[in-house]
Amino acid sequence: MDSPNIPLNGPPLSPALTGQQVCFAFDNTFARLPEHFYARLDPTPVAAPRIVKVNVELARELGLDADALTSEHGVAVLAGNRVADGAEPIALAYAGHQFGYFVPQLGDGRANLLGEVVSSDGQRYDVQLKGSGRTPFSRGGDGRAALGPVLREYIVSEAMAALGVPTTRALAAVTTGERVLRDTALPGAVLTRVAASQLRVGTFQYFAARGDGEGLRMLADYAIARHYPQAAQAKEPCRALLEGVVARQAQLIAQWMLLGFIHGVMNTDNTSISGETIDYGPCAFMEAYDPAKVYSSIDHGGRYAYGNQPRVALWNLARLAESLLPVLAQESGSEEAGLVAANEALSIFEPQFEATHSAGLRRKLGLVAEREGDAALAENLLQCMAANSADFTLTFRRLCDAAAGTEGDAGVRALFDDPAAYDGWAAGWRRRLEEEFADGQARTAAMRRMNPAFIPRNHLVEAALDAANLGQDFQPFEDLLAVISRPYDERPELERYSAPARPEERVLQTFCGT
Ligand code: AMP
Ligand code: MG
């Protein structure tokens, strides 16, 4: 069987030409795969595109000319009104388990992959328009996106990037001059997002569900070439691919947990093969710590609650392993051996998650050395926070000051319903800190690099979206973006952005807005 002949991760291509006409130096590999992997079609033009935002820094990292992107031609490309030179727009086929139920065909119902670019460090990225019109995968949908969800994805994905979490990025947002009908008529928008790739667990499920063994093997080869090139040298490359995805997902979910991030729709079609956070819908950062916390209006059973995320990720990875069974069986010599390989690969998840999560918790508490009892110390704090509705982000941020001396305690105590509950825990924490070498100042600085001051708090996100939706006022969006771009910096003058919502500001539910 031929594997796709693609020069991945090779030397960077020549950077994009500057000027009005050329925005991207596309070098497309996915569009070289067989035609049944996608549908070829151009984005559907919109009435009156206007630029909201171009991510100048990301553009630079990708070797793109930000000025060309904001030119009339550039905006037309970002709105889907023109197809850039070298683009080969396609909508990708995939399937997926949505809330536990298998849907054999989902696919890009409102997105067009324009093509791939290679950044100056040789990394390949997909450039995709979201909200760019109907496709053969749209089912009953209109193919469009509303401005609110587009700005939400822009803010939250950029926050995740700044926090150091693998994620798709937002390159640009444009309004369309058209309305989209949801519960009410809302301004329409198109998001340009950049991803390591658009390959999902659901992409593998699509071919597995059709019994398309050859498609499955081509897809596995493609995923290996693009994301796990070392797996190509392994004795059992598909097994090495699965192991790689399991490990990266375990690390990713651990990072989410350490930041209080709740994805909200961890369906298998929203679980990436590259290990990035993808598909920002009703996602949210938790305020008061509560393992059972759910924000999404459509997650009635709490399937995707904060504390369920590791378990759900492993469930999703089991669906990937299942899909790969024919390939695993072939390369290991028998169905039985393939099954053993799949289970062994999945067994990597738990220890990898635990290792990343507990190391992260230790660092969040200012502990460098590893001691027995550290996990219990962290767990006790979390239990105490849950019992006292303590704000997740701010508790850890204020511990950075408390680590330098007891003067810092007042700020942490104030976050607990019963401040004395913190005192009891802090006494044990201080005894443990005495076993560390670092001095107070250095420890505080190190802890601040683990415990952000600024997350995109839900009420601030909503306020930014409301201003944009109702008054075409994008200033709150710009301001919030500037704040969350430097989440770990100490900026006392921005206290308004680090404070939890007041009771009347609290956001109780988030919506995916599709
Ligand atoms: P999501 O919840 O964004 O992950 O989307 C799940 C599936 O529904 C994907 O196949 C999307 O392409 C599709 N979808 C979501 N919204 C729309 C829409 N407005 N029009 C067409 N398809 C959509
Ligand atoms: Mg999706």
Side-chain angles (χ1 to χ4, degrees), residues 94 193 200 269-270 279:
Y94 54 84
R193 63 178 177 181
R200 300 133 191 270
D269 53 302
N270 294 339
D279 266 25

Side-chain angles (χ1 to χ4, degrees), residues 471-482:
Q472 293 281 301
D473 173 11
F474 292 99
Q475 199 55 49
F477 164 74
E478 291 282 353
D479 293 344
L480 183 55
L481 213 48

Side-chain angles (χ1 to χ4, degrees), residues 94 98 106-110 138-139 141-144 182 269-270 279 514:
Y94 54 84
Q98 299 191 304
L106 288 166
D108 289 334
R110 52 163 169 172
S138 295
R139 298 172 289 157
D142 61 2
R144 293 300 184 189
R182 298 295 180 254
D269 53 302
N270 294 339
D279 266 25
T514 57

Side-chain angles (χ1 to χ4, degrees), residues 287 295 457-464 466 495-510:
E287 296 220 300
Y295 285 97
R457 289 193 176 264
N458 305 315
H459 66 294
L460 299 173
V461 173
E462 293 302 324
D466 283 349
E495 210 228 318
R496 183 171 95 70
Y497 289 94
S498 62
R502 291 190 301 271
E504 72 277 13
E505 293 173 325
R506 258 177 222 151
V507 173
L508 302 177
Q509 267 195 336
T510 51

Side-chain angles (χ1 to χ4, degrees), residues 21 23 28 77 88 99 105 110 115 136 157 281 324 337 365 384 403 463 495 507:
Q21 296 304 311
C23 298
N28 305 329
V77 167
E88 294 174 89
F99 289 91
Q105 182 171 306
R110 52 163 169 172
S157 65
L324 288 172
L365 294 178
C384 192
E495 210 228 318
V507 173

Side-chain angles (χ1 to χ4, degrees), residues 334-356:
S334 74
E335 271 182 31
E336 218 174 4
L339 201 57
V340 170
N343 278 309
E344 283 178 359
L346 290 171
S347 73
I348 292 172
F349 186 90
E350 215 172 296
Q352 179 68 73
F353 173 82
E354 277 309 318
T356 312

